[in-house]
Amino acid sequence: MAIFTLTYPKATERLPTYPIVNSDNEAVCVLQQVQRSNIRKILNAATLVAVQQSLPYRFETRTPQGKLLFQVRSTLLTKGISHQIIMPDGSSIPIQRKTVQLLESSYSFTMDGLVFRFEQDFTSTAYLYCNDEKIASAQFVENGIVREGIVYNLFQSDDPLFVALLASLFQTLFALRN
Protein backbone atom coordinates (compact mmCIF):
# COMPACT_ATOMS: atom_id res chain seq x y z
CA MET A 1 0.00 0.00 0.00
CA ALA A 2 1.30 3.44 -0.92
CA ILE A 3 0.47 6.33 1.42
CA PHE A 4 0.35 9.99 0.41
CA THR A 5 -0.53 12.98 2.59
CA LEU A 6 -1.70 16.56 2.30
CA THR A 7 -1.03 18.72 5.36
CA TYR A 8 -2.96 21.88 6.08
CA PRO A 9 -0.94 24.99 6.91
CA LYS A 10 -1.29 26.83 10.19
CA ALA A 11 -4.42 28.98 10.46
CA THR A 12 -2.41 32.14 9.83
CA GLU A 13 -0.90 30.85 6.56
CA ARG A 14 -2.68 30.69 3.25
CA LEU A 15 -1.05 28.78 0.42
CA PRO A 16 -2.06 28.95 -3.25
CA THR A 17 -1.34 25.22 -3.59
CA TYR A 18 -1.20 22.33 -1.16
CA PRO A 19 1.47 19.72 -1.92
CA ILE A 20 0.58 16.05 -1.72
CA VAL A 21 3.68 14.12 -0.68
CA ASN A 22 4.69 10.47 -0.69
CA SER A 23 6.22 8.55 2.22
CA ASP A 24 9.66 10.01 1.32
CA ASN A 25 8.21 13.53 1.73
CA GLU A 26 8.54 14.21 -2.02
CA ALA A 27 5.76 16.18 -3.72
CA VAL A 28 3.95 14.02 -6.27
CA CYS A 29 1.29 16.60 -7.12
CA VAL A 30 -0.37 19.70 -5.72
CA LEU A 31 -4.02 20.47 -4.98
CA GLN A 32 -5.22 23.94 -5.85
CA GLN A 33 -8.50 25.75 -5.28
CA VAL A 34 -9.06 28.11 -8.19
CA GLN A 35 -11.37 31.07 -7.54
CA ARG A 36 -13.31 32.82 -10.25
CA SER A 37 -12.79 36.53 -10.73
CA ASN A 38 -14.97 38.93 -8.70
CA ILE A 39 -16.78 40.02 -11.85
CA ARG A 40 -17.54 36.38 -12.66
CA LYS A 41 -18.85 35.79 -9.12
CA ILE A 42 -21.17 38.81 -9.38
CA LEU A 43 -22.46 37.71 -12.78
CA ASN A 44 -23.08 34.20 -11.43
CA ALA A 45 -24.98 35.51 -8.41
CA ALA A 46 -27.06 37.88 -10.53
CA THR A 47 -28.15 35.15 -12.94
CA LEU A 48 -28.59 32.24 -10.50
CA VAL A 49 -31.83 31.11 -12.13
CA ALA A 50 -30.23 30.73 -15.55
CA VAL A 51 -29.87 27.25 -16.96
CA GLN A 52 -26.23 26.75 -15.94
CA GLN A 53 -24.12 28.62 -13.43
CA SER A 54 -20.62 27.72 -12.36
CA LEU A 55 -19.85 27.65 -8.66
CA PRO A 56 -17.36 30.31 -7.50
CA TYR A 57 -14.38 27.89 -7.41
CA ARG A 58 -13.06 24.60 -8.67
CA PHE A 59 -10.39 22.19 -7.52
CA GLU A 60 -7.59 20.90 -9.64
CA THR A 61 -4.44 18.86 -9.25
CA ARG A 62 -1.21 19.67 -10.99
CA THR A 63 2.24 18.19 -11.23
CA PRO A 64 4.88 19.84 -9.01
CA GLN A 65 6.02 21.60 -12.22
CA GLY A 66 2.53 23.09 -12.74
CA LYS A 67 1.10 20.86 -15.50
CA LEU A 68 -2.65 20.20 -15.11
CA LEU A 69 -3.54 16.62 -14.17
CA PHE A 70 -7.26 16.70 -13.25
CA GLN A 71 -9.85 19.34 -12.54
CA VAL A 72 -13.27 18.67 -11.05
CA ARG A 73 -15.71 21.34 -12.11
CA SER A 74 -19.11 21.75 -10.49
CA THR A 75 -21.93 23.52 -12.26
CA LEU A 76 -25.14 24.66 -10.60
CA LEU A 77 -28.17 23.72 -12.68
CA THR A 78 -31.81 24.54 -12.04
CA LYS A 79 -32.29 20.92 -10.91
CA GLY A 80 -29.09 20.49 -8.85
CA ILE A 81 -25.33 20.37 -9.22
CA SER A 82 -23.54 18.67 -12.08
CA HIS A 83 -19.89 17.54 -11.79
CA GLN A 84 -17.33 16.87 -14.51
CA ILE A 85 -13.70 15.83 -14.62
CA ILE A 86 -11.69 18.06 -16.94
CA MET A 87 -8.73 16.22 -18.45
CA PRO A 88 -5.36 17.80 -19.33
CA ASP A 89 -6.36 17.91 -23.02
CA GLY A 90 -9.50 19.92 -22.16
CA SER A 91 -11.97 17.09 -22.69
CA SER A 92 -14.57 16.49 -20.01
CA ILE A 93 -15.94 13.36 -18.39
CA PRO A 94 -19.38 13.62 -16.80
CA ILE A 95 -19.75 12.33 -13.25
CA GLN A 96 -23.08 10.65 -12.49
CA ARG A 97 -24.47 11.07 -8.97
CA LYS A 98 -26.63 8.38 -7.39
CA THR A 99 -28.26 8.53 -3.95
CA VAL A 100 -27.41 5.32 -2.08
CA GLN A 101 -28.95 6.14 1.28
CA LEU A 102 -31.05 9.00 2.54
CA LEU A 103 -28.19 11.53 2.64
CA GLU A 104 -25.31 9.61 1.04
CA SER A 105 -24.21 9.70 -2.57
CA SER A 106 -22.17 7.57 -4.91
CA TYR A 107 -20.47 9.10 -7.95
CA SER A 108 -19.47 7.19 -11.06
CA PHE A 109 -17.74 7.91 -14.35
CA THR A 110 -16.02 6.06 -17.18
CA MET A 111 -12.44 6.89 -18.14
CA ASP A 112 -10.37 5.00 -20.73
CA GLY A 113 -12.96 2.22 -20.82
CA LEU A 114 -12.75 1.68 -17.04
CA VAL A 115 -15.75 2.27 -14.76
CA PHE A 116 -14.88 4.24 -11.63
CA ARG A 117 -17.07 4.71 -8.56
CA PHE A 118 -16.38 7.09 -5.69
CA GLU A 119 -18.27 6.93 -2.40
CA GLN A 120 -17.93 7.72 1.28
CA ASP A 121 -18.77 5.40 4.18
CA PHE A 122 -20.13 6.12 7.66
CA THR A 123 -16.58 6.79 9.00
CA SER A 124 -16.15 9.64 6.45
CA THR A 125 -13.55 7.61 4.57
CA ALA A 126 -13.98 7.92 0.81
CA TYR A 127 -13.18 5.00 -1.49
CA LEU A 128 -12.34 4.93 -5.17
CA TYR A 129 -13.31 1.75 -7.05
CA CYS A 130 -12.24 0.70 -10.53
CA ASN A 131 -14.45 -1.94 -12.15
CA ASP A 132 -15.88 -2.68 -8.67
CA GLU A 133 -12.42 -3.29 -7.14
CA LYS A 134 -11.43 -0.97 -4.27
CA ILE A 135 -8.23 0.76 -5.39
CA ALA A 136 -7.82 3.79 -3.11
CA SER A 137 -9.11 5.65 -0.07
CA ALA A 138 -8.98 9.15 1.38
CA GLN A 139 -9.71 10.35 4.89
CA PHE A 140 -9.10 13.32 7.14
CA VAL A 141 -6.36 13.31 9.75
CA GLU A 142 -7.53 14.97 12.93
CA ASN A 143 -5.82 15.86 16.20
CA GLY A 144 -8.69 16.37 18.62
CA ILE A 145 -10.96 18.91 16.99
CA VAL A 146 -8.24 20.29 14.70
CA ARG A 147 -8.11 18.86 11.17
CA GLU A 148 -4.46 18.49 10.17
CA GLY A 149 -4.74 17.15 6.65
CA ILE A 150 -5.79 14.27 4.43
CA VAL A 151 -4.27 10.81 3.94
CA TYR A 152 -4.59 9.11 0.56
CA ASN A 153 -3.99 5.34 0.35
CA LEU A 154 -3.45 3.48 -2.91
CA PHE A 155 -4.00 -0.21 -2.31
CA GLN A 156 -2.25 -1.85 -5.28
CA SER A 157 -0.38 0.95 -7.01
CA ASP A 158 1.74 3.98 -6.30
CA ASP A 159 0.74 5.88 -9.45
CA PRO A 160 0.61 9.64 -8.75
CA LEU A 161 -2.21 9.97 -11.31
CA PHE A 162 -4.52 7.97 -9.04
CA VAL A 163 -3.52 10.21 -6.13
CA ALA A 164 -4.28 13.32 -8.18
CA LEU A 165 -7.66 11.93 -9.28
CA LEU A 166 -8.53 10.85 -5.73
CA ALA A 167 -7.52 14.25 -4.28
CA SER A 168 -9.58 16.19 -6.84
CA LEU A 169 -12.66 14.05 -6.29
CA PHE A 170 -12.40 13.97 -2.49
CA GLN A 171 -11.94 17.72 -2.15
CA THR A 172 -14.80 18.59 -4.48
CA LEU A 173 -17.37 15.93 -3.66
CA PHE A 174 -16.87 15.18 0.04
CA ALA A 175 -14.42 17.47 1.87
CA LEU A 176 -16.50 20.61 1.45
CA ARG A 177 -19.47 19.00 3.19
CA ASN A 178 -17.46 17.90 6.24
Side-chain angles (χ1 to χ4, degrees):
M1 177 183 334
I3 299 173
F4 302 85
T5 57
L6 177 149
T7 304
Y8 295 130
K10 295 177 184 171
T12 57
E13 296 178 33
R14 186 166 190 114
L15 300 175
T17 59
Y18 298 94
I20 298 172
V21 299
N22 61 17
S23 57
D24 296 326
N25 208 30
E26 301 167 331
V28 295
C29 60
V30 292
L31 179 70
Q32 181 174 0
Q33 178 178 331
V34 179
Q35 296 271 340
R36 296 199 177 274
S37 69
N38 286 335
I39 293 172
R40 217 39 167 172
K41 288 180 195 175
I42 292 169
L43 289 174
N44 283 342
T47 57
L48 187 59
V49 292
V51 175
Q52 290 189 356
Q53 290 301 307
S54 296
L55 297 177
Y57 51 82
R58 66 182 183 276
F59 286 95
E60 58 190 33
T61 47
R62 295 182 172 273
T63 65
Q65 296 77 29
K67 181 182 174 202
L68 179 67
L69 294 171
F70 296 102
Q71 179 187 113
V72 177
R73 185 178 297 163
S74 300
T75 305
L76 181 63
L77 305 170
T78 55
K79 58 186 173 192
I81 297 177
S82 168
H83 303 285
Q84 312 159 324
I85 298 172
I86 308 301
M87 303 298 288
D89 65 2
S91 63
S92 66
I93 299 172
I95 300 173
Q96 305 299 318
R97 180 184 174 272
K98 177 182 168 189
T99 302
V100 290
Q101 294 206 11
L102 186 58
L103 297 174
E104 295 178 10
S105 297
S106 176
Y107 298 88
S108 61
F109 56 94
T110 302
M111 183 182 343
D112 296 332
L114 301 171
V115 178
F116 289 88
R117 188 175 79 245
F118 189 62
E119 47 191 40
Q120 190 173 29
D121 70 9
F122 66 94
T123 67
S124 294
T125 300
Y127 292 98
L128 181 62
Y129 297 83
C130 179
N131 292 336
D132 288 327
E133 180 180 345
K134 194 182 294 185
I135 62 169
S137 69
Q139 67 185 49
F140 290 110
V141 176
E142 297 181 3
N143 181 5
I145 60 170
V146 177
R147 198 167 273 170
E148 294 181 343
I150 303 171
V151 172
Y152 307 98
N153 295 306
L154 299 184
F155 301 138
Q156 299 174 0
S157 170
D158 62 354
D159 190 340
L161 285 178
F162 281 125
V163 174
L165 177 62
L166 181 62
S168 298
L169 291 167
F170 183 70
Q171 190 66 36
T172 303
L173 302 175
F174 294 128
L176 294 177
R177 289 191 291 176
N178 296 320

